[in-house]
Amino acid sequence: MTTVRRAVLTLPAAPLGPDNPLPALRAPARAGAHAVDARTLAGLPRDMARGIGRAPLRSLLPVSLRDGYGRDRVPTDLDAIVIENDRLRATVLPGLGGRIHSLHHKPTGRELVHRNPVLQPAAFALNGAWFAGGVEWNIGATGHTALSCSPLHAATVRAPDGGPMLRLWEWERLRDLPFQVDLWLPEGSDFLYVGVRIRNPHERPAPVFWWSNTAAPEDRRVLAPADAAWHHGYERALDRVPVPVDGTGTDRTYPLNSGHAADWFYDLPDGRRRWIAALDADGTGLVQTSTDALRGRKLFVWGTGRGGRRWQEWLTEPGAPGYAEIQAGLARTQLEHLELPGEAESSWLEAYGPLAADPAAALGDDWTAARTDVERALDGALPRTAVDAAYTAWREGAADAAPETVLAAGSGWGALEVLRGGYELPGTPFPESTLGPEQEPWRALLRTGVLPPPAKGAGPGAPLVSAPWRDMLETAPADPSTEYHLGIAQWHAGDRAQAVRSWERGLRGADASWPLLYCLAVADREEGHPERAAERFAEAFADHAASGGGGAVAAALGREAVTALLATGRTDRARQLWTRLPEEVRGRGAFRLLEARILLAEGRPDAARAVFDEGFEVADLGEGAETLGELWARLTDESLPDAYEFRMRPGP
C-alpha cells in the first residue's frame, strides 16, 4: 500500500541566514543572462517573441533577496515527507520549495535523479538562495523560483484511487498567484504522478511561468521527440539548431559533449506525446512525461570547461558526480511567459519513473530509431492514455479535495490575500491562523485603514505592492512608514516619479532615515545619477550606524555604499566606510572582493593580488558573473586560478 509519512533527512548544510533587509527594488540580477538581443527577437516566431516580451520583472518586489547564507556546512536535520509504494520512494523537502530530493526505484535499487549529498545555497534563484539536485517546481518568472528555499504548505489528501496523496501549495508573490502540486503513487506503480494547478483568482489576466526541473547524472544521453531545438547560451542569442547533431557536427544530446553552459529547448511538434528521458550506457534511466498542456522540454548542461566544472563543485562537494537538467515547461522556452486569463486556471499531470530501452537503438546514430525505441519503451511502461486518464481522475475527483492531515506550514501571505480578496480556493486553504508577524501590520491596515508604524529601532517591515494594497496605502494617514511603503508600491507599478515624491515626503519627521535614503539612492542610480546615489547610500549607512545599528542592515548598506562610491571614483570615502564595518563582516568573501577593488583603486595592485592569493569565497556569486575574472585581469596576465573561474561562456 502507498504511504505518506514525515521523516528527517540529515545533510551537511550551510544555514540560509537572514534575508536581505533592503527592499528588492531592482530587477533580478540574473535577468541579463536570459536576455535576447533585438535582432534575434525580430527573427523569432511571432507568438514566441510575444511571450518573451510579456511582463518582464521590473523588480523582485514584494519578495526579499536571500543572500544571508555562507559556505560553512554543518550536519543539519531537515524536515522531509516520504511517499512510497512497493516500487518507488520519493523524499520531499516541504521547507525548501517542495523539492523532491530523492526518487528511489526499489526493484533495481537505482536513484533516478541526481541526489545532492549536501545542501549548499547559491545565487541562482530569482531572489538569491537556491540549491542543486532532485526535482524542483519553478513558478513566477524566467529563472529558478523565489520559493526555492521557502516553506510550502503540505498535507495529505485522498488520491484519485483512494490512497494517500501529498499536496503542496503556496501563494506565489511575484505574480500574485496560488498554486498546488499533488504527488501520489498508485499501488504497484513504477511512476510518481504529479498534478499541478495554477489559479488566477483576480479579474485581470496574469503572466504565468512554470518549469519542472530534474537534475540527472550528466553521463547520460538525453532524448526527446524533436528534430530541432532552440539553443540559448550566455551570448544572448536564441538559434534554432538541428537535433541531435548541431551545425558544428557535435551530438549535443550527450551533456559531456558541450564545452560551456547552455540550454537546448526542444521544438516538439504539435500532436506528439510530451516526454524527455536521460538514459545511461545500458539504455536505462529516468523518463518524464506529461499531458499536452506542459508543452516544452529542455536540456541544460554545465559544460566541460573550467567554469562549468567549478560551478558543479561549488554547488555540491569535490569529487561528487556532475549533473545536467532535463526540464518540462508550459512554453517552448524559459524566456517566454504565457497569459492566464482572469478567474481561470491552468493544470496538467506529470509522471516520473524508470525506463529501460534497447541501448543499441537509444544510443545509436540513427536519431529517428533512437526516439522511436524510447517512445516504444515508454508506451509499454506507461501508455499515453493512462496519463490522460490519470489527469482526468485527479482533476475531477481529487484536485479540489480538502486536505486531511497537515504536515507542514508555509507562509501567511496567502492567508492575507484570501482575507483581503475573499477568494474561494477549494483544495488549497489559506487559514487566518497562518498569519504571522510580517502580515500583522497589513491585516491592521485592512481592518482599520491605518498602517501601524514599526516598533522603535525595528526595520520598516515587509512590503506589499499589488494595486489593492497600493490603493489602501494612498488613503491611509500619511506618516514616514506609510510613505515608505507607498513609494515602494508606486515604484513597483512603474510610477517612479511619484515613488520618489513619497519617499522624500517620508524623510520629513522620520526617526530612522536609512530605509527612505536607500530607496532614493536606488532611484538615483536607476535614473542615471550615480554620484548622488553614492552620496545617499553613504548617508543611509551613516544614519543606521548613528543609531547603533549593526547586523544584516549594516552589511547590506555597507556593501551597496562601498560599491557605489568605487563606481564614482570616491576611493577615499569607500575606504573610510569599509573600515567602519564590523570585522566579522569585512572577513566575508564579498567584502574581501570589495577590499581588493579598493586596493586596486588606491594604486596598490600587489596588495589586491595578495587578497586573491590568501583566498576568499563570495558565497552569493551570481550565475554568469564575471567579476572575479575581470578584476584578476586588471592585476596580472596570469591565468585565472581554478578557484575563481566561474565564467559560463567561451572566453580566454
Side-chain angles (χ1 to χ4, degrees), residues 325-634:
E325 289 183 0
I326 58 172
Q327 308 179 9
L330 285 175
R332 278 174 293 187
T333 73
Q334 284 176 338
L335 310 182
E336 302 166 74
H337 297 78
L338 304 183
E339 183 173 272
L340 185 59
E343 301 178 342
E345 65 178 53
S346 179
S347 62
W348 60 91
L349 185 104
E350 306 180 40
Y352 296 78
L355 192 72
D358 176 7
L363 306 180
D365 293 335
D366 187 332
W367 179 242
T368 300
R371 290 181 335 196
T372 300
D373 186 75
V374 172
E375 192 152 331
R376 175 199 56 77
L378 174 58
D379 288 342
L382 185 66
R384 184 177 187 176
T385 54
V387 174
D388 293 339
Y391 168 73
T392 300
W394 167 74
R395 185 61 196 86
E396 294 180 354
D400 287 347
E404 297 177 355
T405 302
V406 174
L407 301 175
S411 77
W413 295 113
L416 186 67
E417 293 301 331
V418 168
L419 192 64
R420 182 199 59 76
Y423 304 121
E424 295 291 337
L425 300 169
T428 55
F430 293 94
E432 202 168 340
S433 60
T434 60
L435 292 170
E438 285 189 309
Q439 293 85 40
E440 281 303 329
W442 297 100
R443 177 160 65 169
L445 174 64
L446 184 63
R447 288 179 169 175
T448 69
V450 178
L451 182 69
K456 188 172 180 61
L464 283 174
V465 296
S466 66
W469 293 107
R470 186 175 72 249
D471 291 343
M472 281 185 267
L473 289 168
E474 287 176 344
T475 57
D479 63 21
S481 175
T482 303
E483 296 285 13
Y484 165 82
H485 282 288
L486 175 58
I488 290 176
Q490 292 165 332
W491 180 270
H492 176 264
D495 192 350
R496 295 189 168 188
Q498 189 58 55
V500 168
R501 285 192 285 270
S502 295
W503 292 327
E504 288 175 340
R505 286 195 303 268
L507 277 176
R508 304 169 198 154
D511 292 331
S513 299
W514 66 263
L516 295 151
L517 288 168
Y518 169 77
C519 293
L520 289 168
V522 173
D524 283 335
R525 182 156 61 191
E526 295 293 299
E527 296 301 317
H529 304 292
E531 292 82 5
R532 192 166 66 199
E535 288 298 326
R536 278 180 160 156
F537 280 129
E539 190 179 350
F541 177 84
D543 178 75
H544 182 262
S547 66
V553 175
L557 286 174
R559 190 173 180 180
E560 292 276 9
V562 170
T563 301
L565 290 166
L566 284 174
T568 54
R570 303 179 192 191
T571 306
D572 291 345
R573 292 280 306 281
R575 166 66 70 182
Q576 292 167 9
L577 197 151
W578 187 83
T579 58
R580 294 179 63 187
L581 290 166
E583 184 176 354
E584 181 275 328
V585 172
R586 295 200 307 268
R588 299 176 193 171
F591 291 87
R592 294 302 310 280
L593 176 59
L594 279 179
E595 180 184 16
R597 292 181 57 194
I598 293 171
L599 289 166
L600 181 60
E602 290 172 337
R604 301 165 63 190
D606 291 343
R609 167 66 185 266
V611 174
F612 278 85
D613 292 341
E614 290 168 12
F616 62 91
E617 292 183 324
V618 182
D620 64 335
L621 192 69
E623 176 185 3
E626 300 184 358
T627 306
L628 296 174
E630 291 169 354
L631 183 57
W632 177 265
R634 296 174 63 190

Side-chain angles (χ1 to χ4, degrees), residues 214-238:
T214 303
E218 64 182 353
D219 58 344
R220 300 289 191 266
R221 188 182 204 187
V222 174
L223 300 100
D227 292 313
W230 294 94
H231 169 254
H232 183 258
Y234 286 80
E235 298 84 25
R236 300 183 64 181
L238 189 63

Side-chain angles (χ1 to χ4, degrees), residues 268-360:
L268 276 60
D270 292 338
R272 292 296 300 271
R273 186 176 184 181
R274 306 324 196 184
W275 59 267
I276 188 168
L279 305 181
D280 63 15
D282 296 327
T284 60
L286 170 75
V287 66
Q288 187 272 1
T289 187
S290 72
T291 49
D292 289 351
L294 203 63
R295 177 182 185 180
R297 293 297 186 275
K298 170 191 164 184
L299 166 64
F300 166 76
V301 301
W302 284 106
T304 57
R306 289 203 307 154
R309 294 299 93 189
R310 180 63 175 127
W311 273 119
Q312 294 253 33
E313 181 183 75
W314 185 258
L315 294 169
T316 177
E317 61 182 2
Y323 74 93
E325 289 183 0
I326 58 172
Q327 308 179 9
L330 285 175
R332 278 174 293 187
T333 73
Q334 284 176 338
L335 310 182
E336 302 166 74
H337 297 78
L338 304 183
E339 183 173 272
L340 185 59
E343 301 178 342
E345 65 178 53
S346 179
S347 62
W348 60 91
L349 185 104
E350 306 180 40
Y352 296 78
L355 192 72
D358 176 7

Side-chain angles (χ1 to χ4, degrees), residues 57-367:
L57 292 180
R58 292 189 293 262
S59 75
L60 282 171
L61 295 169
V63 305
S64 298
L65 186 65
R66 312 201 75 170
D67 61 358
Y69 52 87
R71 292 192 55 80
D72 294 327
R73 297 189 286 267
V74 295
T76 303
D77 290 340
L78 303 172
D79 291 333
I81 299 172
V82 175
I83 175 170
E84 66 180 316
N85 62 6
D86 60 335
R87 311 287 295 177
L88 279 179
R89 180 172 63 246
T91 303
V92 179
L93 304 178
L96 294 164
R99 181 80 60 99
I100 297 178
H101 173 73
S102 167
L103 188 60
H104 179 79
H105 187 233
K106 296 180 180 181
T108 60
R110 293 172 64 100
E111 178 61 52
L112 298 181
V113 300
H114 170 74
R115 183 175 58 190
N116 198 335
V118 304
L119 175 60
Q120 177 56 63
F124 279 73
L126 286 164
N127 62 333
W130 171 86
F131 63 103
V135 185
E136 60 178 305
W137 319 113
N138 291 301
I139 182 173
T142 299
H144 296 281
T145 178
L147 294 166
S148 292
C149 291
S150 296
L152 304 188
H153 299 282
T156 57
V157 187
R158 288 295 101 188
D161 61 0
M165 178 169 72
L166 172 61
R167 173 162 299 158
L168 306 166
W169 74 99
E170 190 42 284
W171 198 284
E172 201 287 313
R173 302 182 67 212
L174 287 176
R175 300 304 194 183
D176 207 16
L177 302 175
F179 71 99
Q180 72 189 77
V181 180
D182 289 354
L183 303 95
W184 77 100
L185 282 167
E187 188 172 350
S189 174
D190 276 321
F191 283 82
L192 174 69
Y193 288 170
V194 181
V196 183
R197 174 166 62 173
I198 304 172
R199 288 191 272 207
N200 180 6
H202 313 293
E203 294 181 355
R204 54 175 170 76
V208 67
F209 174 95
W210 182 279
W211 281 79
S212 303
N213 290 10
T214 303
E218 64 182 353
D219 58 344
R220 300 289 191 266
R221 188 182 204 187
V222 174
L223 300 100
D227 292 313
W230 294 94
H231 169 254
H232 183 258
Y234 286 80
E235 298 84 25
R236 300 183 64 181
L238 189 63
D239 303 308
R240 195 170 189 270
V241 298
V243 173
V245 179
D246 67 9
T248 68
T250 304
D251 188 337
R252 299 296 184 181
T253 62
Y254 290 91
L256 292 175
N257 282 352
S258 294
H260 301 279
D263 304 321
W264 279 271
F265 299 101
Y266 295 110
D267 197 358
L268 276 60
D270 292 338
R272 292 296 300 271
R273 186 176 184 181
R274 306 324 196 184
W275 59 267
I276 188 168
L279 305 181
D280 63 15
D282 296 327
T284 60
L286 170 75
V287 66
Q288 187 272 1
T289 187
S290 72
T291 49
D292 289 351
L294 203 63
R295 177 182 185 180
R297 293 297 186 275
K298 170 191 164 184
L299 166 64
F300 166 76
V301 301
W302 284 106
T304 57
R306 289 203 307 154
R309 294 299 93 189
R310 180 63 175 127
W311 273 119
Q312 294 253 33
E313 181 183 75
W314 185 258
L315 294 169
T316 177
E317 61 182 2
Y323 74 93
E325 289 183 0
I326 58 172
Q327 308 179 9
L330 285 175
R332 278 174 293 187
T333 73
Q334 284 176 338
L335 310 182
E336 302 166 74
H337 297 78
L338 304 183
E339 183 173 272
L340 185 59
E343 301 178 342
E345 65 178 53
S346 179
S347 62
W348 60 91
L349 185 104
E350 306 180 40
Y352 296 78
L355 192 72
D358 176 7
L363 306 180
D365 293 335
D366 187 332
W367 179 242

